[in-house]
Amino acid sequence: MRASLLVLALFVGSSLALDCQEIDGRLKQIDASDGQVFGVNSEDSIYTRYGNGWVRVPGALKHVTVGPAGVWGVNKDNLIYKMIGGRWEQAQGLLKQIDAGGDQFIAGVNMLDNIFCLNRNPTVTTRGGTAAIPWNLLPGSLKYYSCGPYSCWGVNWLDQIFVMKGVTPDACMGSLAWQQVPGALSMIEVSTDGSVYGVNSAGNVYRRDGVSVANPAGTDWTYLSMCGKSKHVSYDLGVLWVISPEDKILTCS
């Protein structure tokens, strides 16, 4: 009980009830951007949303991402892949989680929770193969990292939340000064429009309010009430895509 009260105390803010509908399919992770939706299931099969159904994408990934930087993913061996011309091409490096939400740059974390990002030019031009890629190593340690148009957010092994400001396509490392944000989350996602959503260890979903170019860290958290618990979320074009602990897929607005 004390732990539950502590988690709630870390999120002093408003609440909002969402209208959620379960849709077809089962996924363990999902990502949405600019009208595209990709996800992977418990067997690492890859799917994309087409109309009112899911279309299987060749390959096997444990985490997939779509955004201004394209479609990328990592497999069970932490190998990195970029979709080029409808085919997966391996890119140099190792990551356990990857995010394409930045302004044409990639970011992610590896098995040791080291944080990396790749500036716009190599992100866009890499065609895979054996050519070295100039990954940038950021200070600190995070288990999940996600970027938007002007900031990147991450959470560490203690579920502490951090934001990196001053991020640009050609300077993806930003200011190199982490700002800790009150609260506790186990995963966090920044949308293409800069909106920030996350899930805590109790399966509750939160939205960061007041986020803007002038104030990338925002002001406070809003608890998003819905039926059941969540383990993963992604937001795009007014729709919050939610994955439940049972891998059910919900769309909420």
Side-chain angles (χ1 to χ4, degrees), residues 184-234:
L185 294 173
S186 56
M187 68 81 58
I188 196 164
E189 278 286 340
V190 188
S191 70
T192 306
D193 67 3
S195 301
V196 179
Y197 290 80
V199 182
N200 69 8
S201 59
N204 299 319
V205 179
Y206 292 86
R207 181 189 70 202
R208 187 67 175 173
D209 296 326
V211 175
S212 66
V213 175
N215 183 22
T219 54
D220 48 36
W221 295 100
T222 291
Y223 166 61
L224 303 179
S225 175
M226 61 186 72
C227 295
K229 297 298 183 179
S230 308
K231 68 175 181 179
H232 196 95
V233 295
S234 185

Side-chain angles (χ1 to χ4, degrees), residues 67-86:
V71 182
W72 294 65
V74 293
N75 70 5
K76 62 181 179 61
D77 297 314
N78 302 308
L79 299 175
I80 304 168
Y81 289 88
K82 177 185 180 182
M83 182 170 282
I84 302 174

